[in-house]
Amino acid sequence: MIGVFDSGIGGLTVVKALKRHLPDYDILYFGDTARTPYGTKSPETVIQYAVEDAEFLLEKGAQMLVVACNTASSTATDTLKERFDVPILEVISPAVNMAVSDSKRTRVGIIGTRATVNSRVYEDKIKAIRPEMKVYSQPCPLLVPLVEEGWLKKGETRKIIKKYLHPLKVKQIDVLILGCTHYPLLKDIIQAKIGKRVKVIDSSEALSVSVIDFLHNNSDVESRLKKDGTCQFYVSDITEQFEQIAGTILKGTVKLEHVRL
Ligand code: DGL
């Protein structure tokens, strides 16, 4: 099984993209809804939580891990790779590779949680490939709660997005990375506010493409994965609101199972 984890429900955007590209592969999802958000926490805490999330999925039988959460990917990937002897794919590198090849003006914008932006991982990875790139990062801490409240189309949400994107627009970026699980749900507004000339990269899509490539190049892992097209969703807390957001993302009723870590 492919194990996917996130700080909460937002990582279902990655499951959605994976299901679109790889419908037959069994997926085991864990959302740490009891301890969400990770984006406001210290690196030490995010690392500890990410290790526990990974342990849970591996105990449940995952043979590879996909870190859907940008905050966990930017902070905990090195620790996870040191600790666990299974393939681990994170959400940052695929979006970085896409941005580096798509940016003609060499000016890239990143939006994410405070923890992701403070980690500077996107910036470091982009500059490691193309040192001449200019990278502009903008934390957007209000967007996660707005999505979780279901304010996907409200005027207030549009105004806040416009305000957050203004500094990036001024810098004349030509590529914008959506560096957070929740932002694909706001992609249309973000595209409208940043302008149609800017290529918006959905990191959940980029990650799915890299999972496909990985499976293509690693037949030993690929052949061991179950392919009954099943999905199991575990969360560390269940509320009606989490169930609603899950339904909005996956467009249908989603059965969440409660587990304690
Ligand atoms: N999943 C987180 C991310 O992609 C967003 C929510 C949170 O802050 O935990 O960064």
Side-chain angles (χ1 to χ4, degrees):
M1 281 174 289
I2 303 178
V4 180
F5 77 84
D6 178 44
S7 57
I9 291 297
L12 292 178
T13 53
V14 170
V15 171
K16 190 177 171 196
L18 281 174
K19 278 274 140 205
R20 196 165 44 240
H21 293 287
L22 299 163
D24 295 338
Y25 290 76
D26 290 9
I27 292 180
L28 208 55
Y29 181 84
F30 176 70
D32 196 5
T33 46
R35 302 188 294 195
T36 199
Y38 285 7
T40 52
K41 306 233 164 34
S42 68
E44 294 74 21
T45 300
V46 174
I47 290 171
Q48 180 204 324
Y49 290 175
V51 167
E52 291 168 7
D53 301 344
E55 276 168 350
F56 170 78
L57 288 172
L58 295 173
E59 273 163 26
K60 281 275 171 199
Q63 284 126 329
M64 63 180 279
L65 294 176
V66 172
V67 187
C69 179
N70 280 260
T71 303
S73 294
S74 57
T75 315
T77 299
D78 291 348
T79 309
L80 293 173
K81 288 192 169 168
E82 274 164 28
R83 280 284 171 102
F84 303 109
D85 191 20
V86 293
I88 298 177
L89 279 81
E90 42 77 28
V91 72
I92 315 277
S93 308
V96 161
N97 291 335
M98 232 179 230
V100 166
S101 60
D102 287 349
S103 179
K104 307 277 175 296
R105 284 207 197 130
T106 65
R107 299 170 92 81
V108 174
I110 318 284
I111 52 175
T113 64
R114 282 216 172 89
T116 296
V117 169
N118 289 344
S119 75
R120 299 176 65 91
V121 164
Y122 275 103
E123 198 163 340
D124 292 348
K125 280 186 186 281
I126 289 173
K127 293 211 164 162
I129 305 173
R130 272 177 83 182
E132 74 276 20
M133 296 281 270
K134 298 264 185 302
V135 184
Y136 304 98
S137 303
Q138 174 68 44
C140 302
L142 293 173
L143 299 190
V144 166
L146 285 169
V147 168
E148 300 209 335
E149 283 303 316
W151 284 33
L152 300 180
K153 301 226 152 71
K154 298 252 186 193
E156 290 85 347
T157 306
R158 290 174 198 277
K159 276 194 195 138
I160 290 169
I161 290 175
K162 187 174 176 197
K163 199 164 174 82
Y164 277 146
L165 295 180
H166 179 72
L168 302 178
K169 222 174 161 165
V170 171
K171 297 291 180 194
Q172 299 193 315
I173 57 165
D174 67 346
V175 171
L176 175 67
I177 298 178
L178 305 185
C180 176
T181 45
H182 290 55
Y183 302 171
L185 293 162
L186 300 169
K187 189 174 175 190
D188 291 348
I189 306 180
I190 292 171
Q191 181 74 71
K193 298 293 175 203
I194 197 69
K196 58 178 186 307
R197 292 221 183 88
V198 176
K199 162 109 195 267
V200 174
I201 295 180
D202 175 342
S203 50
S204 66
E205 271 299 318
L207 174 57
S208 300
V209 173
S210 90
V211 173
I212 296 170
D213 281 353
F214 173 83
L215 295 177
H216 189 73
N217 295 321
N218 292 272
S219 52
D220 52 325
V221 180
E222 198 281 335
S223 61
R224 281 188 280 122
L225 295 174
K226 279 180 71 194
K227 297 168 197 82
D228 296 324
T230 67
C231 260
Q232 274 169 288
F233 303 103
Y234 295 99
V235 286
S236 49
D237 190 21
I238 296 194
T239 63
E240 218 173 275
Q241 197 197 0
F242 290 138
E243 283 175 329
Q244 258 172 28
I245 309 163
T248 305
I249 298 174
L250 291 179
K251 301 214 174 2
T253 314
V254 179
K255 192 174 163 287
L256 303 177
E257 287 181 53
H258 187 202
V259 285
R260 283 192 200 288
L261 287 195

